[in-house]
Every structure is written in C-alpha cells, then in structure tokens.
Amino acid sequence: MTTGRGGSRTAQAHDLQFARESVACAADAVGRGDQPFGAVVAVGANRLVASCNEVLATHDPTAHAEIVAIRAAVNVRAKHQLDDCTLYASCEPCVMCAGAIAWSGIRRVFFCLPREIAERYGFPDVLPRQISRAATAAIEIIQVAELASDACAPFDDWARLYSGKAQSVPLDPEDKGRTVRRW
C-alpha cells in the first residue's frame, strides 16, 4: 500500500520495481563517492532512464538524481515534455527538483523516503516545503512506505563513509541555530 495526495492506492508491480531501482541507484551513487539519491523515469512499465546523484562528481549543485534523470529522459525522447512519464525517487524530491518535475510535465512521482529522514543525515531542504507543494499541486505524489527501510541503507552507508568529512556551516548568518552540512 502506498500513500499520497488524495488518499491511499495500491502500487502496480512495475511501480515497486522502479522504486527499488531508484534505491539501487542511490546505493550506486554512494559507491561512486556521491550523495545517496537515485531516480528512475518510466513510461508505464517501460524504464527510460535510471540516474544517480552527481553533485560531487560534477561539482554541479543542480545535479540531483531527479534532475539528472529528467535531463536524460528528455534527451532520450527528444522532447522537453514528459507528461506521460512517472518519476521514481529514492527520497522525496527537494524544492529544486519539485520545480524541475513540474516544468517537465511529469504528472506522477513515487518516492521511498520522506525528506525529514534525509535531513537527519545532513541533507536539509533549504527552502520552505510550501514552495514544493505549490509547484507540485497538480502532480500525484505517492510515498512507497514499504521501501523506506531499504531506502535508508544508502544513507547509512553514506554516514559510515563520509560523516567525518562534513562540516556544519550556518544556513543563514543571522540564524545561528540552523546549520547545513557541507562536503
């Protein structure tokens, strides 16, 4: 059973398969020395692309797994709209990714881990969630809660490998209590 806007629904077998693939991509990202996020874009039961987070590898702060997947999918399809596609993410998309999802026309998103868990591992969303909710108001967003514990594994691996290499810096110089971890 999955939960999302408008209540609960049962995910199709391919939805669970692609959600699991997004978690595998997150684990692959950690194995490559990048941050623990993965994404898959599919049309129905057909996977178009699977992507890992590439922020550290490319030194590009916008290279989140969801955006890398959207960029690859529009290249595969040779069109800028993905309105018949579904995005599967190992973690709930951040505000930037929510905007990219909305602009790409994707109408369904499945995610495994809520953002609050990512924040506990040092990956805060630096903008208010109301912005992403407004950007994705017309998008069906569904949490695949049964995969949440699996989706924590890449974060645990990340913490084990890299937690000593991060430093806490103020999110806002005026707000001394709220910090963000930078690598």
Side-chain angles (χ1 to χ4, degrees):
M1 185 66 84
T2 57
T3 59
R5 289 191 187 137
S8 298
R9 65 183 297 270
T10 303
Q12 302 292 317
H14 65 268
D15 294 324
L16 292 174
Q17 173 192 335
F18 295 140
R20 281 188 188 94
E21 283 186 40
S22 74
V23 172
C25 289
D28 188 42
V30 173
R32 294 178 186 192
D34 226 306
Q35 297 169 335
F37 300 92
V40 171
V41 175
V43 177
N46 299 310
R47 177 174 41 85
L48 285 178
V49 297
S51 299
C52 301
N53 185 293
E54 297 178 358
V55 168
L56 300 178
T58 62
H59 308 290
D60 178 357
T62 68
H64 290 198
E66 299 92 333
I67 290 179
V68 173
I70 289 168
R71 289 174 181 162
V74 297
N75 284 328
V76 166
R77 309 249 353 247
K79 65 180 200 171
H80 71 282
Q81 287 294 293
L82 301 174
D83 52 350
D84 58 341
C85 295
T86 300
L87 185 134
Y88 301 84
S90 60
C91 189
E92 185 177 3
C94 71
V95 172
M96 178 181 68
C97 293
I101 290 163
W103 278 106
S104 72
I106 290 173
R107 294 193 177 138
R108 292 178 67 216
V109 174
F110 285 84
F111 70 92
C112 301
L113 203 60
R115 272 189 268 178
E116 292 80 10
I117 302 298
E119 286 184 8
R120 290 183 205 156
Y121 285 89
F123 297 99
D125 207 349
V126 296
L127 296 171
R129 290 184 78 166
Q130 293 83 351
I131 295 171
S132 62
R133 285 192 185 113
T136 59
I139 299 169
E140 183 180 14
I141 300 177
I142 304 142
Q143 181 179 4
V144 186
E146 57 264 43
L147 296 180
S149 63
D150 294 342
C152 276
F155 282 90
D156 290 338
D157 291 342
W158 169 263
R160 204 171 16 264
L161 293 169
Y162 301 105
S163 65
K165 297 179 181 176
Q167 61 179 342
S168 292
V169 295
L171 189 58
D172 178 350
E174 301 300 315
D175 183 1
K176 308 248 186 286
R178 192 158 178 228
T179 61
V180 65
R181 295 183 47 90
R182 300 276 187 221
W183 287 268

